[in-house]
Amino acid sequence: MIGMLDYKLVEAFARVIAEGGFEKAAQVLHVTQGAVSQRVKLLEEQVGCVLMVRSVPPRTTAAGREMLKHYRQVKQLEDDLGPELGQESAGYASMPVGINADSLATWFFPAIGEYLDSQPVLLDLCVDDQAETHKLLKNGDVLGCVSDRAAPVQGGRVEYLGDMDYRLYSNSSYKMKWFNEGVTLESVLKAPMLIFNRKDVMHGVILKDALGTKPNRFNGFYLPSSEKFATAIAAGWACGMLPDQQANEYVERGELADLLPGHVFTVRLHWHCWNLESAALDSFTRVLVAGARGLLVQRP
């Protein structure tokens, strides 16, 4: 049975993981590297299990992920406690959030901009695919996340944000060069396809819907930057999937055209967070949900 945790030790462990090593954690905590190492060792002895793999960078074990989750939740509750006791805030509070790159590049900051203007909050954003961000929450890396998952994680709550509709776009010269006879399986196998990363599957899904079969390979032009996707497609280097929020201005100027009219890949986005009695997390959630619903497509 674990007794009362020494949070000086827990903080050292959390800092090693957050900073990616003992040396950087020591700099943040203003102690020696040896002191940080000793604190983590004492914590592991206290709980009776290994919390991290001493790799570069260090990785949490299953027990370490649970400890990190516990630390973040307690830290958030402690940050909320000061104002409740009439104490002035010691400074900015950190809000770790998991988010997909397309949301970050389009609606996220317009949705919460006024909140950031008025609240002493520092965002700690972890970017991953919308199908993967909920793992950041489950592992305790973040307090909340934007995800395409509709079901809440255990111990969490979920709110629907809205839909992002994606279509396959190209410019006119690219279309003439590669799809002059229409979008066929043969032409798709030859044409350069802009792809965010190896987790990105939406281009395969929409082409399977349009062609009746999924291409078994692509000439992948990998570009892990949502901000540069529209620019690269408009330049004619490849065709690719874009959400309407990014594509509309290019379409209106005649710089991009939908290659598969009538075929849409829809991502339904949800906000997940821990079910904590946290005023800061609650206020952030309210602002984010309201802002997103004003900017994203709303469907039953």
Side-chain angles (χ1 to χ4, degrees):
M1 183 175 179
I2 298 174
M4 184 71 70
L5 290 171
D6 184 340
Y7 279 90
K8 181 174 68 176
L9 309 184
V10 180
E11 183 183 21
F13 161 68
R15 281 295 180 184
V16 171
I17 298 302
E19 302 300 328
F22 287 85
E23 182 178 353
K24 289 184 179 179
Q27 293 172 1
V28 172
L29 294 171
H30 305 292
V31 297
T32 65
Q33 184 174 338
V36 174
S37 180
Q38 182 66 16
R39 289 179 187 181
V40 174
K41 182 181 178 181
L42 287 173
L43 178 63
E44 290 180 323
E45 290 175 353
Q46 185 178 17
V47 299
C49 60
V50 175
L51 298 175
M52 69 167 69
V53 178
R54 270 69 168 176
S55 56
V56 181
R59 295 182 289 108
T60 54
T61 62
R65 289 192 288 275
E66 291 301 314
M67 181 65 72
L68 189 61
K69 183 194 305 181
H70 171 78
Y71 170 77
R72 289 199 183 278
Q73 293 180 0
V74 171
K75 180 77 164 56
Q76 185 60 52
L77 294 174
E78 287 180 345
D79 289 344
D80 285 352
L81 186 59
E84 292 293 329
L85 297 177
Q87 300 175 1
E88 292 186 8
S89 172
Y92 282 84
S94 178
M95 183 69 69
V97 172
I99 188 167
N100 60 309
D102 286 345
S103 291
L104 185 59
T106 53
W107 61 267
F108 181 71
F109 281 117
I112 65 166
E114 292 185 7
Y115 177 86
L116 294 177
D117 289 340
S118 62
Q119 300 297 320
V121 171
L122 296 173
L123 291 179
D124 184 356
L125 297 177
C126 300
V127 181
D128 206 335
D129 186 81
Q130 62 267 6
E132 302 291 327
T133 49
H134 72 279
K135 295 178 183 177
L136 297 169
L137 185 67
K138 290 177 67 176
N139 290 344
D141 297 320
V142 297
L143 289 171
C145 70
V146 175
S147 170
D148 66 359
R149 178 188 171 112
V153 300
Q154 186 175 3
R157 52 193 165 111
V158 60
E159 299 253 17
Y160 170 66
L161 297 176
D163 293 356
M164 293 183 75
D165 292 333
Y166 291 75
R167 306 171 206 274
L168 184 64
Y169 290 98
S170 79
N171 73 1
S172 56
S173 61
Y174 177 98
K175 181 178 180 181
M176 186 176 298
K177 178 178 181 180
W178 297 104
F179 299 124
N180 195 39
E181 302 292 324
V183 179
T184 64
L185 180 60
E186 183 181 4
S187 60
V188 166
L189 293 175
K190 297 177 180 178
M193 178 72 64
L194 197 64
I195 303 172
F196 186 80
N197 59 23
R198 266 71 180 180
K199 298 177 183 177
D200 187 0
V201 299
M202 62 177 65
H203 52 285
V205 174
I206 199 171
L207 284 165
K208 180 179 180 181
D209 180 57
L211 302 176
T213 183
K214 181 181 177 181
N216 59 11
R217 60 180 175 80
F218 294 99
N219 281 329
F221 185 134
Y222 290 94
L223 177 62
S225 170
S226 289
E227 292 82 357
K228 296 298 183 182
F229 244 60
T231 303
I233 297 169
W237 301 331
C239 66
M241 301 289 292
L242 287 174
D244 291 345
Q245 289 88 344
Q246 279 184 302
N248 284 344
E249 61 178 288
Y250 291 87
V251 173
E252 290 170 2
R253 294 196 298 262
E255 297 177 21
L256 290 179
D258 185 353
L259 285 173
L260 299 171
H263 294 277
V264 181
F265 184 95
T266 297
V267 175
R268 295 178 65 82
L269 294 174
H270 302 79
W271 169 249
H272 294 259
C273 64
W274 292 115
N275 197 21
L276 301 175
E277 294 294 330
S278 165
L281 184 57
D282 285 347
S283 63
F284 182 82
T285 294
R286 286 195 301 272
V287 171
L288 177 66
V289 171
R293 288 179 179 174
L295 295 168
L296 297 173
V297 177
Q298 299 298 298
R299 296 188 178 104

XYZ file of all heavy atoms in Angstrom, residues 1 9 27 29 32 57 62 64 72 100 102-103 114 120 136-137 193 198 201 228 245 263 266-268 278-279 292:
216
model
N 0.841 -1.197 0.000
C 0.000 0.000 0.000
C 0.870 1.238 0.000
O 1.823 1.351 0.780
C -0.914 0.007 1.232
C -1.866 1.195 1.260
S -3.016 1.077 2.672
C -3.928 2.593 2.419
N 9.169 14.824 -4.997
C 9.681 13.704 -5.783
C 8.853 13.507 -7.051
O 9.395 13.252 -8.128
C 9.667 12.416 -4.945
C 10.325 12.460 -3.563
C 10.298 11.073 -2.933
C 11.744 12.993 -3.642
N 17.722 21.942 -14.597
C 17.771 23.379 -14.877
C 16.455 24.056 -14.517
O 16.445 25.141 -13.936
C 18.105 23.601 -16.351
C 19.501 23.165 -16.747
C 19.737 23.208 -18.246
O 18.853 23.585 -19.022
N 20.923 22.807 -18.674
N 14.182 22.961 -12.337
C 13.940 22.867 -10.899
C 15.005 23.590 -10.070
O 14.870 23.694 -8.842
C 13.892 21.393 -10.484
C 12.712 20.580 -11.038
C 12.890 19.105 -10.730
C 11.394 21.097 -10.481
N 20.683 20.210 -8.813
C 21.665 19.471 -9.605
C 21.001 18.286 -10.309
O 19.938 17.805 -9.896
C 22.795 18.940 -8.726
O 22.272 17.969 -7.819
C 23.456 20.073 -7.947
N 14.915 10.153 -25.373
C 14.541 10.693 -24.060
C 13.920 9.631 -23.175
O 13.528 8.567 -23.676
C 13.510 11.765 -24.441
C 12.864 11.223 -25.680
C 13.972 10.531 -26.442
N 4.022 1.824 -17.736
C 2.575 1.885 -17.491
C 2.299 2.538 -16.136
O 1.406 3.381 -16.005
C 1.975 0.484 -17.551
N 4.300 4.595 -14.610
C 4.710 5.982 -14.737
C 3.635 6.846 -15.380
O 3.441 8.013 -14.997
N -0.695 15.533 -12.898
C -1.319 16.625 -13.652
C -2.676 17.004 -13.056
O -3.025 18.177 -12.988
C -1.469 16.240 -15.123
C -0.154 16.194 -15.904
C -0.413 16.267 -17.393
N 0.817 16.166 -18.168
C 1.646 17.181 -18.407
N 1.377 18.365 -17.892
N 2.720 17.009 -19.141
N -5.226 18.104 -32.948
C -4.781 17.716 -34.287
C -4.311 18.946 -35.054
O -4.729 20.079 -34.808
C -5.903 17.008 -35.046
C -7.138 17.864 -35.215
O -7.648 18.428 -34.250
N -7.634 17.964 -36.439
N -4.756 20.116 -38.130
C -5.688 20.902 -38.939
C -6.529 21.833 -38.072
O -6.820 22.967 -38.466
C -6.599 19.983 -39.753
C -5.870 19.338 -40.920
O -4.778 19.806 -41.263
O -6.391 18.360 -41.488
N -6.930 21.373 -36.889
C -7.663 22.247 -35.973
C -6.772 23.397 -35.512
O -7.217 24.549 -35.422
C -8.162 21.457 -34.759
O -9.178 20.547 -35.121
N -9.933 35.312 -27.318
C -10.335 36.263 -26.280
C -10.059 35.712 -24.885
O -9.715 36.466 -23.966
C -11.810 36.609 -26.439
C -12.114 37.427 -27.697
C -13.562 37.866 -27.764
O -14.299 37.645 -26.771
O -13.963 38.433 -28.789
N -4.615 34.304 -17.337
C -3.179 33.983 -17.214
C -2.915 32.497 -17.443
O -2.587 31.743 -16.521
C -2.871 34.399 -15.773
C -4.160 34.159 -15.035
C -5.256 34.490 -16.021
N -3.101 10.653 -25.581
C -2.364 11.609 -24.757
C -3.107 11.864 -23.451
O -2.500 12.017 -22.393
C -2.175 12.930 -25.518
C -1.363 12.884 -26.800
C -1.486 14.204 -27.566
C 0.111 12.595 -26.492
N -4.438 11.921 -23.538
C -5.253 12.119 -22.343
C -5.202 10.888 -21.445
O -5.014 10.993 -20.228
C -6.694 12.426 -22.754
C -7.666 12.783 -21.622
C -7.279 14.106 -20.987
C -9.096 12.830 -22.138
N 0.656 12.514 -54.565
C -0.402 12.722 -53.582
C 0.193 13.354 -52.326
O 1.118 12.807 -51.726
C -1.068 11.394 -53.229
C -2.146 11.473 -52.174
S -3.664 12.250 -52.764
C -4.163 11.049 -54.032
N 2.527 9.290 -42.037
C 2.185 7.877 -42.258
C 0.906 7.464 -41.538
O 0.359 6.408 -41.836
C 3.334 6.986 -41.812
C 4.307 6.600 -42.934
C 5.152 7.756 -43.396
N 6.081 7.379 -44.470
C 6.925 8.232 -45.039
N 6.939 9.506 -44.689
N 7.736 7.820 -46.003
N -4.817 8.752 -43.356
C -5.492 7.749 -44.186
C -6.674 8.312 -44.971
O -7.289 7.600 -45.761
C -5.997 6.564 -43.319
C -4.837 5.855 -42.627
C -7.022 7.037 -42.287
N 1.010 24.612 -44.619
C 1.588 24.650 -45.962
C 0.856 23.757 -46.962
O 1.207 23.737 -48.143
C 3.068 24.236 -45.900
C 3.943 25.188 -45.093
C 3.955 26.583 -45.703
C 4.880 27.516 -44.936
N 4.861 28.888 -45.492
N -12.356 24.895 -44.340
C -11.862 26.112 -43.690
C -10.576 26.619 -44.329
O -10.323 27.823 -44.346
C -11.625 25.867 -42.196
C -12.879 25.701 -41.365
C -13.369 24.273 -41.319
O -12.969 23.420 -42.131
N -14.244 23.985 -40.370
N -17.977 13.912 -53.161
C -17.318 12.987 -52.228
C -16.614 13.801 -51.137
O -15.728 14.612 -51.429
C -16.319 12.094 -52.957
C -16.968 11.156 -53.923
N -17.513 9.945 -53.541
C -17.190 11.274 -55.265
C -18.030 9.354 -54.602
N -17.841 10.126 -55.655
N -15.643 13.465 -43.748
C -16.027 14.296 -42.609
C -15.385 13.784 -41.332
O -15.451 12.599 -41.014
C -17.557 14.319 -42.439
O -18.143 14.922 -43.589
C -17.962 15.118 -41.205
N -14.760 14.707 -40.615
C -14.186 14.413 -39.301
C -15.046 15.098 -38.253
O -15.185 16.322 -38.258
C -12.733 14.905 -39.196
C -12.199 14.692 -37.779
C -11.844 14.191 -40.207
N -15.646 14.303 -37.365
C -16.453 14.844 -36.275
C -15.552 15.015 -35.052
O -14.982 14.043 -34.549
C -17.630 13.910 -35.958
C -18.613 13.808 -37.115
C -19.761 12.852 -36.816
N -20.607 13.313 -35.717
C -21.590 14.217 -35.855
N -21.839 14.762 -37.034
N -22.320 14.582 -34.818
N -12.419 21.505 -11.454
C -11.401 22.526 -11.704
C -12.036 23.719 -12.395
O -12.539 23.606 -13.514
C -10.274 21.951 -12.573
O -9.479 22.981 -13.113
N -11.990 24.874 -11.730
C -12.580 26.078 -12.314
C -11.864 26.466 -13.602
O -12.499 26.880 -14.571
C -12.528 27.223 -11.305
N -15.767 26.743 -30.814
C -15.724 25.728 -31.876
C -17.083 25.586 -32.549
O -17.174 25.483 -33.781
C -15.261 24.392 -31.314
